[in-house]
Amino acid sequence: MSPTLRLPRADGTLSEYRLTGQAAPPPPRGPIRSRVGFAALHVVADPLAPINPTLETRLDWDATLAYRRYVWSLGLAVAEAMDTSQRGMGFDWGPAQELIRRSVAEARALPGAVLASGAGTDQLEPGPRVTLADVEAAYEEQCGFIESVGGRIILMASRALAACARNADDYLKVYGRILAQVREPVIIHWLGDMFDPALAGYWGSRDLDAATETLLAIVGEHARKIDGVKISLLDQQREIAMRRRFPRGVRMYSGDDFDYPTTIRGDAQGASDALLGIFDVIAPAASAALHALDAGDVATFDRILAPTLPLSRHVFGAPTRFYKTGVVFAAYLNGHQAHFRMVGGLESARSVVHLAEQFVLLDRAGLLRDPALAAQRMRAVLAVAGVG
């Protein structure tokens, strides 16, 4: 019989919930051919480290790297040291270097493993004295490090650049300088201010149409140095419209956690690849769906991903920047880590009511690997909140 437990609801009541017992289809083994599917992955904090968790960072390296091997085993690619790993929210450039170094070594040891790592400017604190030259130097340091250990670059958005740039020309200058120096084509990431309020007005304008034109100008001028662009605006139509204007050979990596099946499935004029934080949560389903797409089975692709959409929209609900809590919560429920603790204490960023609803949505999507274990762990979380 499926486990039953009492869950808190938004109206202040407790209600009985019996797990469905539904399981996700087992993903086929082997590479995914029809799309590039990056999962932006979280990190596992060391809960027993003798540190102040709001000021210092210590990772459980075994669990962190084991999760990367698991995702690679599903045929997905790994996007490392990005927003999902809490860059700018407790996880800074210092520990990120060690994470990137170790992840590159792990990828080399696994045939077919694909990895790309985030390069930003988070070693540079935004302030009135920060100049464009400072931003360029910070980008150069991080890009140089990733290349020195044999990694691929995802060029992340810069809070420091958003703070000091005066107009679109400043973005053209900085990105042009960095793209002229990189050895291999990079992925450019446009992270919207729903994910990070400090990035409001990126590309030199709060008008998204004007900002889009600036990014398209950069892509057009430097296409040979750009593998693709990841758009994290939760705006399907803008993503599709931009994709249709990219030069040949430049990929659109969907960052639309609200409607990724549509953008990945594509249309007669093209399709998006994927670089998604929700792929951390739904990795088995994402792999199975993309393998179905490889076989031309669009109906199965849609059927697998359909129940993951309500889950994703919940995990990435406002305030969107706290979606990382739901990502780690799912990893905890599914036994990928022994605890529900996060870098910076971010496990407290979502209410127990929010987490209870996520538990239900994970179950309905068939994304609880071991329902009995997940129920046991959900009860432990509820007990901390006083729910017996």
Side-chain angles (χ1 to χ4, degrees), residues 355-376:
L355 297 176
E357 180 63 17
Q358 180 179 337
F359 176 84
V360 171
L361 293 170
L362 283 162
D363 176 52
R364 290 175 177 169
L367 288 168
L368 295 178
R369 293 201 303 172
D370 181 341
L373 174 65
Q376 175 188 339

Side-chain angles (χ1 to χ4, degrees), residues 35-38 187-190 212 215-216 219 226-233 235-256 263-264 270-276:
R35 303 286 189 274
V36 180
F38 276 100
I187 298 171
I188 294 177
H189 186 196
W190 181 1
T212 295
L215 176 53
L216 285 169
V219 173
I226 299 171
D227 168 59
V229 176
K230 168 178 164 61
I231 303 297
S232 295
L233 299 177
D235 184 340
Q236 179 193 95
Q237 294 309 310
R238 185 172 300 277
E239 176 181 320
I240 293 171
M242 289 186 69
R243 180 178 78 201
R244 291 174 178 168
R245 296 177 62 188
F246 282 173
R248 183 180 299 275
V250 175
R251 299 175 182 271
M252 170 62 82
Y253 288 96
S254 181
D256 184 2
T263 51
I264 296 170
S272 295
D273 293 283
L275 201 169
L276 288 160

